[in-house]
Amino acid sequence: MEMLFSVGQSFVFFSLLSLYLCLFFFMTSNKRPSVGFKHYPFVGALPGFLRNRHRFVDWSTEILKQCPNNTATFHRLGKIHGVITANPANVEHILKTNFENYPKGQRFVTLLEDFLGRGIFISEGELWKVQRKTSSYEFNTKSFRNFVAFNFDPACLGGDGTAGLEFMRAFEDAATLSSGRFYYAFKRMWSIKKKFNIGSERKLKNSIEIVHEFVNNIIRSRLEEKSENTDEDLLSRFIGNSENSTEFLHDIVVSFIQAGRETTSSALSWFFWLLASHPKVEQNILKELESIRARNGRNIGDTYSLDELRDMHYLHCDVRNVEVIPVSSG
């Protein structure tokens, strides 16, 4: 009897809740939408998020364009809340001038550490400073002339390249699936899938294993050649510190591959998209390249030297005008 009464109470409660939500949606459907993310009782911005998570960047950009300061707050079920901004002044404040005041947070670390370990994207405080300081030495004239970070070519674009292609596919899958953990409606859903090794978490685990094996082979090979190797690339600098464990070196390699993959590919994608939309700019770049080729006796397909690249002033200005700020947690 008590059980039937409890079931009856639950039924009445959920019926009233459903009626309330239906009335709320009906009453607000004809109203002019407010600026920022639309929030509903109990669920916050979840309905809009579920409708647009497959196009999250486009959706959030559309929202932020309507906001006076290109900044909006949001909250969802499970105490998920935060601020999204596309305001350059805010980005500079968070990522540069007051960087230490904006830690990444435990949720960010938990979602990404399976893939990125304790690399520069996830680390905080002194560990982050050590990686940042060491890596900054790599961005000098000599490094750009050599154009290497780990003195290793995965041969993805030439030769057999089987292992390299498998690695890059696995890296792409691991990066995509790891970031996909942020898009679950319920924040612990991914951990349940991980526990039972099913669905996307199973694929993520397999991809990470391929990435780890490939990266560990690079590190193992470099450690064996340590006494003979005289090149000063990024990995050599970290190997030179005897306090750095193999696991730490692994996290460094994965993080910097991810850094180059995201920034370079995003910038080039936007640049060529904009270039295709402005034929006059494209023609001016081609004229500049033709002038430099003629002056230095180059043929189409020849590799330009660093000094010749420096002479491409018009191209440099166009590239600088492409401001790409990827989605970041700070």
Side-chain angles (χ1 to χ4, degrees), residues 95 120-121 139 144 147 171-172 175 255-272 319 322-328:
L95 297 182
I120 194 168
F121 284 118
F139 297 97
F144 283 116
F147 218 74
F171 197 98
E172 175 70 25
S255 291
F256 277 93
I257 291 175
Q258 173 71 359
R261 167 185 169 274
E262 289 297 325
T263 55
T264 305
S265 61
S266 296
L268 288 176
S269 296
W270 275 109
F271 174 72
F272 285 112
V319 172
V322 180
E323 295 185 2
V324 178
I325 302 175
V327 174
S328 174

Side-chain angles (χ1 to χ4, degrees), residues 74-82 107 182 184-187:
F74 71 93
H75 68 266
R76 286 167 41 199
L77 283 172
K79 296 182 180 180
I80 298 175
H81 56 273
R107 179 171 181 264
F182 288 94
Y184 280 96
F186 303 100
K187 65 178 184 179

Side-chain angles (χ1 to χ4, degrees), residues 188-198 201:
R188 285 297 175 186
M189 182 62 69
W190 69 268
S191 60
I192 296 173
K193 294 171 70 175
K194 178 183 177 181
K195 181 178 181 179
F196 292 100
N197 194 29
I198 58 176
E201 286 298 316

Side-chain angles (χ1 to χ4, degrees), residues 268 271-272 275 281-282 284-289 292 304 308-322:
L268 288 176
F271 174 72
F272 285 112
L275 196 61
V281 175
E282 180 182 359
N284 289 338
I285 292 175
L286 291 174
K287 288 179 182 178
E288 183 178 60
L289 296 178
I292 293 174
Y304 291 102
E308 290 168 340
L309 292 173
R310 284 173 175 161
D311 289 337
M312 300 177 187
H313 304 297
Y314 187 83
L315 177 60
H316 289 173
C317 290
D318 292 323
V319 172
R320 289 193 187 99
N321 285 330
V322 180

Side-chain angles (χ1 to χ4, degrees), residues 17 19 23 50 77 94 105 113 143 155 168 180 190 204 240-241 315:
L17 176 61
L19 179 61
L23 288 173
L50 292 178
L77 283 172
I94 295 169
E113 66 180 347
S143 296
M168 292 310 298
W190 69 268
L204 174 59
N241 187 341
L315 177 60

Side-chain angles (χ1 to χ4, degrees), residues 153-166 168:
D153 180 12
C156 295
L157 300 179
D160 178 68
T162 303
L165 286 173
E166 182 186 31
M168 292 310 298

